[in-house]
Amino acid sequence: MTSSRSDITTSFSNKSTSNFSRNFVGNTALRMLKPEKLFRCLCLFAAFEAACLLDTGMLFPRESSSREVKELNGVWNFRADRSPDRNQGFDAAWYKRRLAETGPVIDMPVPASYNDITQDPTLRDFIGWVWYEREVVVPSRWIADKGTRVVIRVGSAHYYSVVWVNGVRVTEHKGGHLPFEAEIGALLRKDPTQPCRITIAVNNTLSLDTLPPGVIQHMTDHTKYPEGYFVQNIYFDFFNYAGIHRPVLLYTTPTAYVDDITVVTDFSDNTGLVKYKVSVQNAASATFKITLMDKGGHCIASSSEPSGVLKIVDVNLWWPYLMHENPGYLYSLEVVLLAAEGSASNDVYTLPVGIRTVDVTSTQFLINKKPFYFHGVNKHEDSDIRGKGLDWPLMVKDFNLLKWLGANSFRTSHYPYAEEILQMCDRHGIVVIDECPGVGIKDIRSFGNASLTHHLVVMDELVRRDKNHPSVVMWSVANEPAAEMPPADYYFKTLIKHTKELDPTRPVTFITDSNYARDKGAPYVDVICVNSYFSWYHDPGHPEVIPIQLNTQFENWYGKYQKPIIQSEYGADAVPGLHSDPPVMFTEEYQKLVLQSYHNVFDQKRKQYVIGELIWNFADFMTTQGIMRVVGNKKGVFSRQRQPKAAAFILKERYWRLANETGKLPAWTKYPCSL
Ligand code: GCB
């Protein structure tokens, strides 16, 4: 099938006008634009207004002349509540005293999943509340200075968390993978002689309305199971790692502070536009100094307004890796909230800003108005010992492997990854499809109101956290839900509409493995993302069916929707070191063959409407035990220890070739490079 490439473009910065946009007509940056460009910009700003629906911000904690950060990484005290109802910790108020005074404690690293830290199988598979605790020395000037806000922030904890400081409950949060925080300055000042004792209880129990969903099953047949026996059933294919997965830290701001910043960018010819909006707290009459700096630290635009448009002459756009000789260019937007007369200090926050646009046509994905082909991977936050805990060496190693592979993109399958990872993507030009934890929505009860309400909140939190990352080009609201069930229609219509209202500047999708004719969510997405495992879960051992089945898959989806398609998963398990020729399943040769057979079809279809291919998976990862898994999922092209299988070399050759064809290769063109 062929199709025209000049069809309707959906600009994700182009929706409607509003009072907000009209306020900016007087702006110098706008006055200098040609009428048609001006219209695009006005629309862009109107869309931007909708992106600010949330009340408070969740800026990544950064040090500045007005802000300090104290990381609480290291060894915490830990106890799993093994009481039958897992409620002893609350009944006996473990948070009121030192944890060691209420029972035995063990050492537990933070950040890390607790599951693989000890030799105890019951902790590995523990379900219920676990308790973390540590005492912190807070700098005395933080306490002495009443003009300092002290905030505790948890990067993520899985799944439900309650936080106490010196026995006082300061916050709770539902959901893993996303940050939460609380102001604790006033509490600490109540008794400055006390050390700051932080207690965090975390519960990994999943239910039908959590994301991801799960079900606790109680086994009551005492001829088969001991008294009180229960298991956690899940509908997703990764180990339900739990604990405090990302850094816990204290940070300060002045009382009047920069609470949130939203940027939306555009460009016209060689002029870049940064539309920004700053919101503040506790500042009755705020005055600002806003400065945009280039990489060299030179001021290139400035303003004194809380919102506006900054114009950049001879703009350096943010380009993906392998699409430009200078990918991942970031400006710095320094926001200074000037102290009111008589008040103590300014607040300073500096946000990295990449200037780029994203558009989708019926056959293409455009970044900076040029076709972008996703040649990338799906990942997991997963490794030996740490489970899902953030780990810098692993993170940097993974980026080196991505670049070695020639991958220009990944999907955050199947939950939001650490902000530190997205910051790396921004800097290195790795394009991201940002997925929420909507994985395993298989039971019809998980389409109910409670589930949908929570899912909408999770999207609020995700967009609030990640809206300013240039690397994030699309939101994924779910992975492989039961999209053929009748309630899926209303569910996805509502969810996708809400996400677009939160952020009209990016396309929205979800990842499907449903039948193209019966999928009830597909009508609402901007890009069709399909997973398929021909010759693995279907026709196992028969890779010869791949060309015909994959071709049919693409023709069916495109024929029905005329939307661009990403092959969002494909692959085969290979146990590293297992060989056979002719290839049989689970060998490195079979994995290679499956990949190559898929690639042949991609090469035909990418000339038409296929806009990307993301291998399942970057690396082997841990799963629940089961007859389908050999110590985890082995579809990685790298082992869990990040050593390449034969498939990695196939992919490397292909991705570098694709980069040559679809992008502009930098002069170095060879890995390793200095980026
Ligand atoms: C899928 C899922 C992914 C699994 C993969 C597999 O479709 O989206 O979570 O791990 O298949 O290997 O079965």
Side-chain angles (χ1 to χ4, degrees):
M1 183 188 283
T2 53
S3 70
S4 128
R5 290 198 166 241
S6 60
D7 21 39
I8 319 135
T9 301
T10 309
S11 165
F12 288 93
S13 0
N14 235 341
K15 294 290 182 264
S16 61
T17 53
S18 74
N19 290 336
F20 186 75
S21 57
R22 283 192 285 273
N23 291 340
F24 283 93
V25 174
N27 186 292
T28 327
L30 290 187
R31 278 202 305 266
M32 296 181 66
L33 292 174
K34 294 182 192 134
E36 67 281 11
K37 304 274 165 58
L38 176 65
F39 178 73
R40 183 180 159 98
C41 290
L42 291 176
C43 295
L44 169 79
F45 307 146
F48 165 81
E49 185 177 26
C52 305
L53 293 178
L54 294 156
D55 295 348
T56 57
M58 188 55 71
L59 290 173
F60 185 78
R62 292 175 192 281
E63 291 190 317
S64 73
S65 55
S66 65
R67 295 175 173 228
E68 289 176 74
V69 175
K70 185 178 169 75
E71 290 210 349
L72 306 182
N73 299 343
V75 176
W76 289 48
N77 296 321
F78 177 91
R79 184 187 310 137
D81 182 345
R82 293 171 189 274
S83 61
D85 64 357
R86 303 290 196 249
N87 225 42
Q88 194 191 347
F90 287 90
D91 296 341
W94 287 352
Y95 48 88
K96 284 210 169 139
R97 288 189 288 157
R98 287 197 170 136
L99 199 56
E101 291 172 17
T102 56
V105 292
I106 60 170
D107 286 352
M108 191 54 68
V110 170
S113 303
Y114 59 74
N115 309 76
D116 291 345
I117 299 296
T118 74
Q119 300 307 102
D120 180 353
T122 64
L123 185 59
R124 182 169 197 269
D125 294 324
F126 185 80
I127 302 154
W129 289 103
V130 298
W131 292 70
Y132 287 78
E133 181 228 48
R134 72 166 275 185
E135 284 184 1
V136 185
V137 178
V138 180
S140 56
R141 66 177 185 287
W142 290 13
I143 308 290
D145 178 5
K146 293 203 174 67
T148 294
R149 289 174 67 247
V150 182
V151 181
I152 180 169
R153 188 190 212 254
V154 180
S156 85
H158 188 74
Y159 176 83
Y160 196 98
S161 314
V162 186
V163 183
W164 294 263
V165 172
N166 293 337
V168 178
R169 184 184 293 227
V170 294
T171 189
E172 44 193 288
H173 184 257
K174 179 178 176 182
H177 318 290
L178 288 166
F180 51 96
E181 59 181 36
E183 212 270 293
I184 59 168
L187 183 62
L188 296 178
R189 278 178 205 115
K190 270 193 186 150
D191 184 358
T193 59
Q194 272 196 66
C196 168
R197 181 167 40 82
I198 299 169
T199 314
I200 306 181
V202 186
N203 192 331
N204 62 348
T205 308
L206 301 177
S207 67
L208 285 168
D209 60 25
T210 57
L211 273 190
V215 171
I216 295 287
Q217 190 179 1
H218 293 271
M219 312 300 207
T220 50
D221 180 347
H222 298 316
T223 65
K224 291 187 178 165
Y225 303 100
E227 180 70 32
Y229 191 84
F230 66 92
V231 290
Q232 169 83 76
N233 292 325
I234 52 174
Y235 312 106
F236 52 87
D237 182 36
F238 51 91
F239 192 85
N240 190 31
Y241 278 114
I244 303 179
H245 284 154
R246 299 190 189 142
V248 180
L249 44 87
L250 298 180
Y251 72 91
T252 64
T253 74
T255 312
Y257 66 99
V258 175
D259 178 50
D260 200 11
I261 306 170
T262 307
V263 294
V264 173
T265 63
D266 198 358
F267 69 95
S268 165
D269 302 324
N270 62 348
T271 301
L273 293 171
V274 174
K275 167 74 180 67
Y276 70 92
K277 182 173 181 179
V278 178
S279 58
V280 297
Q281 295 284 344
N282 308 330
S285 59
T287 47
F288 296 90
K289 190 164 155 274
I290 312 278
T291 315
L292 190 72
M293 287 167 293
D294 65 14
K295 240 182 181 165
H298 308 110
C299 167
I300 47 160
S302 63
S303 162
S304 56
E305 299 298 326
S307 54
V309 190
L310 301 171
K311 192 184 79 167
I312 299 100
V313 184
D314 288 333
V315 64
N316 282 304
L317 295 178
W318 185 93
W319 287 99
Y321 175 55
L322 299 180
M323 199 172 172
H324 192 267
E325 51 277 89
N326 189 11
Y329 190 96
L330 294 174
Y331 292 89
S332 297
L333 184 71
E334 185 189 74
V335 175
V336 182
L337 168 61
L338 296 162
E341 223 168 287
S343 101
S345 62
N346 297 342
D347 187 23
V348 182
Y349 189 92
T350 305
L351 180 78
V353 172
I355 300 173
R356 58 109 184 90
T357 58
V358 171
D359 297 286
V360 174
T361 75
S362 62
T363 57
Q364 289 180 311
F365 196 96
L366 306 175
I367 295 184
N368 299 337
K369 301 170 186 142
K370 299 230 165 78
F372 176 76
Y373 186 78
F374 294 79
H375 43 91
V377 304
N378 291 276
K379 290 185 94 256
H380 262 299
E381 287 181 321
D382 174 273
S383 70
D384 287 331
I385 304 171
R386 309 136 176 82
K388 291 204 176 305
L390 178 88
D391 182 70
W392 283 100
L394 179 79
M395 198 198 304
V396 175
K397 176 74 177 175
D398 280 4
F399 272 81
N400 281 329
L401 290 176
L402 285 170
K403 293 174 114 183
W404 174 87
L405 211 51
N408 63 3
S409 51
F410 66 78
R411 168 166 70 117
T412 68
S413 45
H414 294 305
Y415 38 79
Y417 292 176
E419 290 159 283
E420 291 83 347
I421 296 178
L422 294 184
Q423 288 161 10
M424 292 275 285
C425 290
D426 291 344
R427 288 197 292 111
H428 291 269
I430 301 293
V431 169
V432 175
I433 300 173
D434 201 352
E435 188 155 284
C436 91
V439 56
I441 306 176
K442 302 286 188 192
D443 187 305
I444 197 157
R445 291 167 292 176
S446 292
F447 286 103
N449 274 342
S451 300
L452 179 56
T453 306
H454 178 53
H455 208 147
L456 297 176
V457 171
V458 171
M459 288 314 300
D460 288 348
E461 291 186 9
L462 176 61
V463 173
R464 176 177 63 170
R465 193 195 72 161
D466 291 349
K467 63 188 170 184
N468 292 325
H469 288 286
S471 56
V472 173
V473 299
M474 180 154 65
W475 305 109
S476 162
V477 297
N479 179 69
E480 295 187 355
E484 296 176 31
M485 284 183 179
D489 190 320
Y490 176 75
Y491 193 95
F492 284 104
K493 184 178 174 182
T494 311
L495 187 59
I496 292 171
K497 181 168 172 275
H498 180 74
T499 308
K500 283 169 173 284
E501 280 166 5
L502 289 170
D503 178 9
T505 73
R506 289 178 178 89
V508 182
T509 190
F510 75 91
I511 280 60
T512 188
D513 64 343
S514 298
N515 177 284
Y516 77 100
R518 296 192 294 268
D519 190 307
K520 299 213 175 338
Y524 307 110
V525 302
D526 297 304
V527 172
I528 302 280
C529 288
V530 195
N531 295 348
S532 60
Y533 289 92
F534 304 128
S535 85
W536 193 261
Y537 296 117
H538 313 275
D539 304 296
H542 290 282
E544 67 276 12
V545 303
I546 291 173
I548 182 166
Q549 294 191 0
L550 188 55
N551 191 63
T552 305
Q553 167 198 289
F554 285 139
E555 293 292 287
N556 283 344
W557 280 102
Y558 194 75
K560 182 157 168 80
Y561 288 107
Q562 282 89 52
K563 293 178 186 175
I565 304 177
I566 295 177
Q567 181 74 39
S568 39
E569 286 181 27
Y570 70 104
D573 288 73
V575 178
L578 214 53
H579 296 285
S580 99
D581 187 33
V584 300
M585 291 175 78
F586 291 101
T587 63
E588 295 199 27
E589 286 73 16
Y590 192 86
Q591 186 184 36
K592 256 171 66 174
L593 184 59
V594 170
L595 266 51
Q596 283 165 325
S597 310
Y598 265 79
H599 295 164
N600 291 340
V601 182
F602 296 157
D603 280 339
Q604 294 155 31
K605 297 298 173 189
R606 70 190 168 84
K607 299 191 185 95
Q608 301 169 17
Y609 48 76
V610 169
I611 56 162
E613 52 188 86
L614 304 176
I615 185 81
W616 190 264
N617 190 286
F618 171 73
D620 294 346
F621 58 91
M622 194 45 66
T623 63
T624 329
Q625 298 183 59
I627 52 167
M628 305 272 280
R629 298 289 173 249
V630 191
V631 196
N633 187 309
K634 293 281 187 281
K635 293 194 187 69
V637 295
F638 296 100
S639 67
R640 200 183 194 206
Q641 295 71 34
R642 276 43 182 183
Q643 294 307 319
K645 302 180 193 173
F649 295 94
I650 297 290
L651 218 55
K652 175 176 186 273
E653 204 185 298
R654 173 171 178 78
Y655 283 0
W656 281 94
R657 184 163 54 76
L658 284 174
N660 257 317
E661 287 174 21
T662 60
K664 190 169 173 189
L665 278 186
W668 34 267
T669 55
K670 263 199 206 116
Y671 186 87
C673 53
S674 60
L675 285 174

